[in-house]
Amino acid sequence: MAARGARPLPTKLKLVRNTLRRGRTNAHEPVLPVEIPRCPAHLGAEAKREWKRLSRELASCGLLTRIDRTALAMLCEAWGRWVEAEEALRKYGVVIKAPSGFPMQSPYLAIANKAMEQIRALLTEFGMSPSSRTRVHAAAVAAED
């Protein structure tokens, strides 16, 4: 049975949040250079715009490495899905007519709500939600020559 409690945070995030304590770090944690990974080609247009925006912001805080590509892609794809669902909701409305003639909830509402849940969870992973951001004390990463 797995241990309960809060999941351990990466040392870099603890450092940025100013909660790092000696003796409570993983001495074997890999240290990776800050790097903006290549944007996956399969992302939609809106997801690619979000990738460009977020990758710059995260790298400037020192919170993005090459292996974060998948997590960032999931966040950007969920964002793109949410934007698409919200546009459909504006076009068709929250309530639509079922084939039987009775009103029913638009399927786009369920898609938008699920995407919002995914976005919220992934924002927290990167320290980008309002509550997780209050614990971050980020300084700009010095550019290398």
Side-chain angles (χ1 to χ4, degrees):
M1 188 166 173
R4 294 196 174 176
R7 291 182 306 178
L9 293 173
T11 302
K12 181 68 176 178
L13 196 52
K14 288 180 185 179
L15 185 64
V16 172
R17 288 181 175 179
N18 201 25
T19 59
L20 182 65
R21 295 183 189 170
R22 254 186 297 159
R24 292 191 179 183
T25 60
N26 179 358
H28 303 291
E29 181 178 358
V31 178
L32 302 168
V34 173
E35 179 182 332
I36 296 177
R38 188 175 55 236
C39 180
H42 72 275
L43 294 183
E46 186 64 38
K48 285 182 180 178
R49 280 191 290 276
E50 188 68 357
W51 176 280
K52 189 174 184 180
R53 184 183 75 82
L54 286 180
S55 62
R56 289 178 183 163
E57 295 289 333
L58 289 168
S60 71
C61 294
L63 295 175
L64 188 64
T65 67
R66 184 178 35 202
I67 64 171
D68 297 324
R69 180 177 190 239
T70 303
L72 185 57
M74 289 189 305
L75 173 57
C76 294
E77 194 63 40
W79 171 264
R81 192 173 300 121
W82 178 72
V83 169
E84 186 178 330
E86 289 294 324
E87 289 170 355
L89 284 170
R90 276 192 290 286
K91 182 176 180 180
Y92 301 113
V94 176
V95 178
I96 61 172
K97 190 183 285 188
S100 64
F102 290 101
M104 66 177 262
Q105 176 180 304
S106 170
Y108 292 111
L109 185 59
I111 294 168
N113 288 339
K114 185 64 176 179
M116 280 192 288
E117 289 175 22
Q118 293 168 340
I119 291 167
R120 183 184 45 77
L122 288 161
L123 288 175
T124 302
E125 290 292 319
F126 284 104
M128 292 190 296
S129 70
S131 61
S132 64
R133 189 172 50 248
T134 62
R135 297 182 296 269
V136 174
H137 303 282
V141 175
E144 293 183 21
D145 290 331

